[in-house]
Structures are given as structure tokens and as C-alpha cells.
Amino acid sequence: MPDSKKFFENLSGAGKSIGVLTSGGDAQGMNAAVRAVVRMGIYVGAKVYFVHEGYQGMVDGGDNIKEASWESVSSMLQVGGTVIGSARCKDFRTHEGRLRAALNLVQRGITNLCVIGGDGSLTGANLFREEWSGLLDELVQSGQITEEAAQTHSVLHVVGMVGSIDNDFCGTDMTIGTDSALHRIIEVVDAIMTTAQSHQRTFVLEVMGRHCGYLALVSGLACGADWVLIPEMPPKDGWEEQMCHKLSENRADKKRLNIIIVAEGAIDHNNKPITTDLIKDLVVRCLGFDTRVTILGHVQRGGTPSAFDRILASRMGVEAVLALLEASPGTPACVVSLCGNQAVRVPLMECVQMTQEVQKAMDEKRFEEAVKLRGRSFENNLNTYKLLSHRKIDAELPHSSFNVAVLNVGAPAAGMNAAVRSAVRVGITEGHTMFAVSDGFEGFYKGQIKEIKWGDVGGWTGQGGSLLGTKRTLPAKHIDKIAEQMRIHNINALLVIGGFEAFESLLQLVDARSSYEEFCVPMCMLPATISNNVSGTDLSIGADTSLNAIVETCDRIKQSASGTKRRVFIIETMGGYCGYLATVGGLAAGADAAYIYEEPFDIRDLQSNVEHLTEKMKTSIQRGLVLRNENCSENYTTDFIYQLYTEEGKGVFDCRKNVLGHMQQGGAPSPFDRNFGTKIAAKAMQWISKKLKEFYRQGHVFANTEDSACLLGMRRRALVFQPVVQLKDETDFVHRIPKEQWWLRLRPLMKILAKYKTSYDVSDSGQLEHIVRLRAKDNSAV
């Protein structure tokens, strides 16, 4: 291992005690965070204590503060809400209450606090930390603790994780619970759509978000709502007529339903609330449409956490323990947050101040500033919504005379349709004529190409699979016919949405540029594959939906054995040679092992895994879960591993096996995939427009530079366009995987949380970053 890497083996938790509590409103994924803190804490040799019922338990002490064991967090990963309880606590707001809390912590030697909650809970924790030495002095003076105890526990370290379904906290792209709340909203919207279509109805939906419109905005993007009302963007005067005009226009377009999404804190320009009843009355009065109101309420807080929230919470929980171990007396309280696809630490009070500034800006009607302060994730969502929401009348459109073709290539992935819809509508808004190609490059050479209009893609966001049709055919075999079709339809740019075959296809088209001028046009690829095996991107459209299918199935399978004797499940996932689904699915489902091609294993590893499980099963843990990627080994097949575990586990546990198969490819796309597909397709179309102008010479487009054929991918913190030619060196074409994969860094996490000794590279984490720098750095992440 190179010396530049820093491993946390050097960070010992011996002699340290960590208290973990959840406070404020509950959010799905809080339990995953608690589990990660407990297991990581115990792993590094610290004692970890549950503080039940939030700050109230800390003030009351007694049985509310209990030492946690490894087994005590077993089976809580898939449970929504918070198992250790949460409460709003008036006592902790008083000096007297905080004094009692300090005494309870010192008596148990706890000087490290991990707080999972919203901004109120985190502000309270910071105040407590600042008052700590004064509180200890008071306790010494009143004789409740000794001078020596005060010196031993002289510094309180605080690390926060934001658990809030509203995503209303500045300094992180996503808070724990937001993705799960979106799942609940989208489940309801999908269900409502079928009944609304049957009756030609208008539905007005109220979602949570008293101060923040994130849930309304993203669910509006994810379901293609007709209108969205949020506190950060009050509608301009005359919005009532505009909205009714849009609704009636959509009806005239044969659209049988209208969906209007309202955040509970929605206001107009005069800070007057816009309620669901107000909107219903307006629609009925002006249009006479059959209109119904649905208020989602606490459904949004409920249910099991999504795969995204489990992974986010597990990553953050481990990072929080590392932050506590590394803290020195001068370290400010920090929040572990997500920036793009990277965990970062940000000073807690900077985040709180920024969050308060948003509210102040909104109170003072500085709405544009409020949106900027919310952060780039929110701003990007809002910009995409604005791009897609208003269909301009043809006379208003810029006329570009460019023709852009869009096609799907490879296996279907959920979210492809959302990407196509977004691309088509943004393309039309930019003035282009959009063409849809059916059945990938096979349809291309056969001439299955036709113009696609705004109304043709209505209702596409929630559809799984590929509505355009997709094939694995590569273009090289039919290159002359494809060139001919490009010429016939005068195609000036290509948007290819797909997986590894799409990547190979683009490389072949770039190669063909020297022989066929038709391919000297801007080309962009959007990664869409459940396997997440394309170079140049951390995430692909479709992978999140697939992870959710895996996690839901694992939950059910584990549950199927409740009440029976001890049992281990061997589950085979898809992914070709790429172990992403097995690894990240394993982390989200709480697997004991995940076998993948990228990390070779032999019979000794299998043997030690079986022994490890056997030891575990002698405790109160009753279920084991082992994931195996379909191509991880030619000889150690799913059957072989199943038989090995069955034989070796005799007398201790029995085994079952399950091959998940194509259900991982099907189903309605998750909110993340709908939103990701929508946003990156919009960004890609804007890039194509820019390139078309750049390469337009003497009446036609000619582009043959490397940077005119790109893949748009998520790289750590930002969305970047990368020339496909440059990604060749990063790719293992034999096994169809990138040579380096970021998620391999998550494997030690899964092992630690499954009680294996392993080494974990922490050189990527640990730097405290300032929120202003984070925002200034770049403005292009998802």
C-alpha cells in the first residue's frame, strides 16, 4: 500500500465512550445510522451508549442511557423511524436541564456525542458543547462530581448527522430520510395517476415541507407534474390564469389527468399561504374540472428506508465515528454531509447559520438569494424544473433548424424513459427538431426514425424499461446504412442513452468519422445500466432502482425466516462482471459477505466466512445473508457456495438460495433514477445545443474533435462531460468494467459492519471543509 494512504488502524477508540441519540422529527434511515455508529464504535474499541428518547433521555438519565452491544443493533437496518426513540425536549433548552444531562454523561464517561437530527437538535448539541466546561465547574462546586472527573472529561466532542425528510439543511446535498420520503410520495402519485386517468381528474397533492420545497420540487420533477408550488419560488402575479391555461392546454392535448403538487409551506409573493383548497376551488371555478385533494401527511415519514438512505446513513455513521476519534480539543462541532457522491465534514454552526439565512432571505422576499443559499443540488433541481415546466408556443421558440436524434442502446434500465422525455422537451425548448430512434442501432440502420413531439413523451417518467425499444446491436456492422440514415434525416447530433454497449457504440462512431462525414456531429452518451459498469461515472441511471429491488427482496427473504431456526440465505445478483449491485446491495441489506469478481477469493475465504457465520449464529443473531455476483467466479457457483454453507453449517444453521434474476431490471423507476435521468438529460441537451452552435460552419455542422463525443457522468462531486476516447484507457473491455471503481472503497465498510477485521483507507475523509468553499468550488453536481 502506498504511504500516502492513511488507515484508521492507527485510530484507537480504547478508553473512549460515545453516546448516540436521535432527536427531533423521525426520518427513515436513522436506524441505519445508529447501527453504523454502534458497530464502528465497538470495532475501534470504544464503548457506545444508546441515549433513548433523544435529549429527554439524556436529561432524565437512568435506564435511558444504556450501553449498546453488537447484537443490539441487529435487524434494525430495514426498520423505519428510530428504534431508540426521539422526543422534543423542553428541559434541555433550560440551563438546569443541560446541567443534569452533563452529570448523566460524566457519570458514564461519555465525552463524545453523535447526534442524528435536524438543525434544532444540532444547534442544541453545539450550545451544550460550548457550555460544557462551565457545566462541569458547576457540578464540581455542588459536589456532584470530583475535580478529577471534571479534568478527565474536560472536552465534549460533537458530530452531527442530519436526519430530516425535508432536506432543509444547508451544507449537505441530501439528508437522511429524504430519499425514502420521495419513495412514499412517488408510490402515492403513481397510484393516483391510474385513478385520475380513468376519470379525467385533476389531483392536488400536498407534501411535507413547511419551510423547504425540496420534496415538492423533486417529486414534481419525478412524476412530471403540471404545476409545483414551493415556498422558495412564489408564483408571479397572474399565476392563477397561467396555471389554469396550462391545465386546459394539457387536457386539449388528450392528457387525461393533471397533477399539481403543493409544499405545505407554499406562499404567494405577499407571503400569503397557498393551500390545496385554494387551488381546488380555483380549478373548479375557472375550468370546471373534477378535482380532488390528497394530503399525504405522515405517510411520508413512514415505511422502510430506501437503499439510498441505508447506504447514506451507513457511510455517514462510520464517518461520524472517525470524526469523533480524530477530534482534538480545538475541533469545532461538525456535520458529516454528502457532497455529490462524497462524504465531507462541515462545521456545524456554518451549516446552521446558512440554514437560518435561507429563512431570513425568504421572510425578506429575497427569493433568488434563498434558492442560492439552499445549495447547488436545490438550485439545479429548480433550474431543470423551470426548463421542463413551461411549454412555449411555437412562435416563442428559437428556431435552430438542427435535428437531434435520441436512442436507447443495450439492456433496458429504469429511468431511461425519464431521460428521453427530458431530452425531447429540453431539445424542443432549445428550438431543435427531435427524432426518436426505435430499437437502438438496429432500428437506426433499418430507418425506424421519426420525429417526436412534446406531447408524445407525456407520462413517461414513471414508466420502467425502455419505451423507445432497445437492442444490444453495435453500429460497426451496419455503419454505412446508419450513415445513410443520418444523411436522409439530416441528423446533426446524437444523444445515446444506455450502458456498456452505448459506450462501445460511441467509440465505433468516433472511429468511423474518418470514413463517414455523417458522424462528424456532436454526440453525447448518458450512462443507463443497472450494473453501473461504465467508465467515467460513479452512478448510472437504473442502478438505484435495481438496488431497491435487491434490498426489498433481501428484507422479505430475511423476514420469511423469522420464527424459524437459524438460517443463512445465499442470494445471486446480476451485474455481469461488475460487483456494484452485490457490494452496495450487501451494504444496504446488511449482508455478511458479498462475493465479486473484482476481489478474488478462494476456498480459504469461503471457509473463514462460514466459520465467521457459525460463530455469529451462536449469539442471539438468527439470520445470515450472503450475496454473490453472477460472474464472480467460474467455479465457485451459487450452487457450490450454497452446498458448502449447507454442509459446513450442519447443526448450527440451515441454508436457502435465491437467484434474483430479471426482477432487478424491471419495475417502476425509483425517484432517484427519475430525477437523475431528468437532470442529466437536460444538461446533455444544453451541451449539444452549445456544441451545435460551436461546430456550425458554412451552412452545416462539422465536429470531429475528441471533445465533441462525450459521456456525461457523475464524478465524485460534479457532473462532467468526458471525451469517450479518453475513457478507453480506463476501461477493461474484456470484462466490461472500469479499471478503477470508487465503490470498492465501500467494501471494508460492509465487512466492518458484519464484524470482520479489515483495513479501511480513510485518506479520502477527515478534512473539515467550509461551506462557502464547498458552494464556490463548482456548481454542477446533481
Side-chain angles (χ1 to χ4, degrees):
M1 291 277 178
D3 296 336
S4 63
K5 290 200 171 180
K6 164 173 98 169
F7 291 93
F8 81 127
E9 284 77 300
N10 319 333
L11 297 170
S12 165
K16 294 189 177 181
S17 294
I18 300 171
V20 59
L21 69 142
T22 52
S23 171
D26 63 314
Q28 309 95 316
M30 279 182 163
N31 291 324
V34 170
R35 171 182 177 267
V37 170
V38 168
R39 291 198 165 170
M40 186 66 172
I42 292 171
Y43 185 86
V44 296
K47 280 185 172 182
V48 187
Y49 289 86
F50 289 135
V51 180
H52 289 277
E53 311 307 330
Y55 286 119
Q56 192 65 56
M58 202 192 291
V59 173
D60 295 344
D63 278 349
N64 289 306
I65 306 176
K66 271 199 187 120
E67 191 174 344
S69 68
W70 191 273
E71 287 88 42
S72 61
V73 291
S74 182
S75 301
M76 69 194 271
L77 190 61
Q78 63 267 36
V79 181
T82 164
V83 171
I84 58 175
S86 180
R88 311 263 180 206
C89 174
K90 283 188 185 144
D91 293 346
F92 192 72
R93 292 193 180 143
T94 65
H95 183 77
E96 188 50 48
R98 292 193 291 276
L99 193 65
R100 276 164 49 206
L103 175 64
N104 287 326
L105 294 188
V106 171
Q107 283 172 342
R108 291 165 181 81
I110 300 170
T111 53
N112 296 283
L113 270 191
C114 184
V115 181
I116 307 160
D119 59 344
S121 311
L122 298 177
T123 311
N126 193 57
L127 173 67
F128 190 41
R129 188 188 74 92
E130 284 170 354
E131 287 184 350
W132 184 256
S133 57
L135 294 171
L136 295 199
D137 289 346
E138 280 184 57
L139 291 170
V140 170
Q141 279 163 11
S142 61
Q144 288 172 279
I145 62 169
T146 64
E147 188 75 53
E148 193 187 353
Q151 269 172 346
T152 314
H153 305 102
S154 61
V155 182
L156 179 71
H157 297 297
V158 172
V159 172
M161 282 183 264
V162 194
S164 155
I165 66 163
D166 293 339
N167 204 22
D168 57 355
F169 192 80
C170 294
T172 184
D173 287 353
M174 279 295 255
T175 58
I176 296 167
T178 306
D179 187 68
S180 302
L182 286 170
H183 272 259
R184 297 298 93 78
I185 295 169
I186 293 304
E187 279 161 21
V188 171
V189 174
D190 284 354
I192 276 176
M193 277 185 161
T194 52
T195 169
Q197 274 176 322
S198 308
H199 295 278
Q200 287 208 12
R201 277 193 178 135
T202 296
F203 267 89
V204 185
L205 257 78
E206 182 186 284
V207 300
M208 280 182 167
R210 210 165 308 144
H211 307 292
C212 178
Y214 187 88
L215 288 178
L217 179 58
V218 175
S219 55
L221 269 179
C223 71
D226 296 272
W227 205 266
V228 173
L229 291 151
I230 58 171
E232 292 87 348
M233 187 184 66
K236 293 184 170 59
D237 289 341
W239 65 273
E240 295 93 341
E241 294 92 76
Q242 255 185 316
M243 184 180 80
C244 290
H245 177 69
K246 185 172 181 193
L247 296 179
S248 59
E249 205 178 52
N250 284 346
R251 276 292 164 94
D253 248 0
K254 310 278 186 293
K255 191 176 174 193
R256 296 179 60 86
L257 80 156
N258 303 110
I259 301 258
I260 300 163
I261 294 183
V262 190
E264 58 182 333
I267 46 170
D268 65 14
H269 257 290
N270 305 312
N271 282 18
K272 271 180 40 200
I274 298 176
T275 63
T276 46
D277 286 338
L278 179 108
I279 290 172
K280 179 186 171 178
D281 295 344
L282 177 71
V283 175
V284 171
R285 191 175 71 246
C286 297
L287 301 171
F289 288 176
D290 183 1
T291 306
R292 298 283 191 275
V293 169
T294 300
I295 294 173
L296 266 65
H298 279 71
V299 164
Q300 295 159 86
R301 280 196 195 282
T304 61
S306 65
F308 183 95
D309 272 332
R310 297 182 196 196
I311 294 153
L312 176 68
S314 300
R315 284 173 78 179
M316 285 185 169
V318 168
E319 186 70 28
V321 172
L322 293 177
L324 286 170
L325 293 183
E326 289 174 4
S328 61
T331 313
C334 75
V335 174
V336 178
S337 71
L338 184 76
C339 181
N341 185 32
Q342 211 179 355
V344 292
R345 302 177 195 171
V346 200
L348 188 149
M349 285 322 287
E350 283 185 21
C351 300
V352 169
Q353 276 152 7
M354 184 79 82
T355 306
Q356 287 165 351
E357 273 178 50
V358 176
Q359 198 50 52
K360 193 166 168 245
M362 280 161 64
D363 293 342
E364 293 169 6
K365 300 190 184 177
R366 291 179 283 119
F367 295 107
E368 278 181 27
E369 201 178 321
V371 167
K372 283 221 170 329
L373 288 166
R374 274 261 180 257
R376 55 195 191 150
S377 169
F378 189 92
E379 206 177 343
N380 286 333
N381 280 308
L382 189 54
N383 291 340
T384 308
Y385 170 72
K386 284 178 183 168
L387 259 183
L388 290 166
S389 62
H390 296 296
R391 179 177 180 179
K392 297 192 174 99
I393 304 150
D394 287 341
E396 293 175 17
L397 286 173
H399 188 62
S400 75
S401 75
F402 290 126
N403 296 340
V404 181
V406 60
L407 66 155
N408 294 157
V409 177
M416 276 181 162
N417 300 321
V420 171
R421 167 188 177 270
S422 172
V424 166
R425 291 194 169 176
V426 172
I428 291 169
T429 307
E430 302 260 308
H432 312 315
T433 305
M434 298 300 294
F435 285 88
V437 183
S438 301
D439 297 339
F441 283 105
E442 194 166 306
F444 212 130
Y445 85 82
K446 290 177 178 169
Q448 296 170 3
I449 303 167
K450 60 174 199 295
E451 190 182 342
I452 186 163
K453 295 207 157 75
W454 187 282
D456 299 336
V457 289
W460 277 33
T461 49
Q463 306 280 328
S466 161
L467 292 168
L468 286 184
T470 181
K471 290 269 195 310
R472 291 180 183 269
T473 314
L474 296 176
K477 274 188 274 185
H478 310 283
I479 205 85
D480 51 341
K481 285 185 177 165
I482 293 170
E484 190 188 339
Q485 291 297 335
M486 293 278 287
R487 201 164 49 248
I488 292 168
H489 293 92
N490 188 24
I491 303 295
N492 308 114
L494 277 185
L495 180 66
V496 182
I497 303 166
F500 204 86
E501 285 93 352
F503 175 56
E504 289 180 300
S505 300
L506 229 54
L507 286 170
Q508 290 179 0
L509 295 182
V510 170
D511 272 351
R513 278 175 168 179
S514 53
S515 317
Y516 298 91
E517 200 178 296
E518 289 83 355
F519 300 122
C520 295
V521 296
M523 300 190 251
C524 186
M525 175 198 160
L526 301 180
T529 162
I530 68 164
S531 307
N532 199 24
N533 62 332
V534 180
S535 297
T537 189
D538 288 0
L539 305 167
S540 303
I541 299 166
D544 182 73
T545 305
S546 194
L547 281 177
N548 278 294
I550 291 168
V551 165
E552 276 169 37
T553 312
C554 288
D555 286 355
R556 284 186 187 180
I557 286 173
K558 274 162 117 180
Q559 203 177 30
S560 72
S562 72
T564 61
K565 58 183 183 183
R566 292 180 165 78
R567 185 162 284 172
V568 173
F569 294 95
I570 317 289
I571 295 174
E572 182 187 301
T573 66
M574 285 170 92
Y577 283 97
C578 180
Y580 177 81
L581 291 177
T583 297
V584 183
L587 182 60
D592 294 280
Y595 300 117
I596 62 169
Y597 164 76
E598 292 91 340
E599 198 174 276
F601 58 97
D602 58 24
I603 195 72
R604 287 181 295 279
D605 298 310
L606 289 169
Q607 185 60 36
S608 75
N609 290 156
V610 175
E611 284 164 12
H612 188 84
L613 261 173
T614 312
E615 282 311 302
K616 241 187 192 174
M617 293 284 185
K618 289 176 183 167
T619 66
S620 59
I621 291 173
Q622 295 209 314
R623 249 162 307 300
L625 185 64
V626 174
L627 266 56
R628 178 189 174 275
N629 160 256
E630 57 184 356
N631 288 356
C632 67
S633 163
E634 216 175 312
N635 297 314
Y636 297 134
T637 61
T638 303
D639 280 339
F640 177 92
I641 292 173
Y642 162 68
Q643 283 161 354
L644 176 80
Y645 273 75
T646 304
E647 186 58 37
E648 297 297 317
K650 266 188 184 156
V652 184
F653 59 78
D654 66 358
C655 271
R656 295 284 184 278
K657 69 170 186 228
N658 201 309
V659 176
L660 297 183
H662 278 73
M663 61 170 288
Q664 295 160 83
Q665 229 164 11
S670 68
F672 182 91
D673 279 332
R674 297 180 193 199
N675 191 25
F676 186 50
T678 300
K679 272 197 288 198
I680 67 170
K683 200 172 173 70
M685 283 311 300
Q686 288 175 310
W687 177 87
I688 282 174
S689 296
K690 198 174 97 203
K691 291 290 174 195
L692 283 167
K693 287 192 193 94
E694 202 179 300
F695 292 110
Y696 186 68
R697 299 272 180 284
Q698 281 102 36
H700 79 293
V701 175
F702 183 81
N704 67 347
T705 54
E706 278 191 0
D707 69 348
S708 62
C710 283
L711 177 147
L712 173 56
M714 173 74 161
R715 275 271 164 106
R716 290 165 81 90
R717 299 189 179 191
L719 280 171
V720 275
F721 289 93
Q722 302 144 99
V724 284
V725 178
Q726 290 174 18
L727 294 173
K728 257 161 93 166
D729 295 341
E730 296 180 24
T731 307
D732 168 355
F733 283 94
V734 176
H735 298 100
R736 302 160 63 87
I737 51 174
K739 287 177 184 169
E740 280 191 27
Q741 309 197 69
W742 70 272
W743 50 265
L744 286 167
R745 293 200 305 272
L746 296 181
R747 283 187 68 78
L749 275 194
M750 188 188 76
K751 290 176 184 173
I752 288 166
L753 297 176
K755 216 174 184 174
Y756 283 94
K757 285 276 175 258
T758 185
S759 71
Y760 180 44
D761 174 12
V762 293
S763 47
D764 210 22
S765 62
Q767 300 314 307
L768 199 63
E769 303 202 16
H770 293 287
I771 193 165
V772 185
R773 224 188 89 224
L774 270 180
R775 286 196 18 255
K777 209 163 204 179
D778 74 10
N779 196 31
S780 58
V782 179

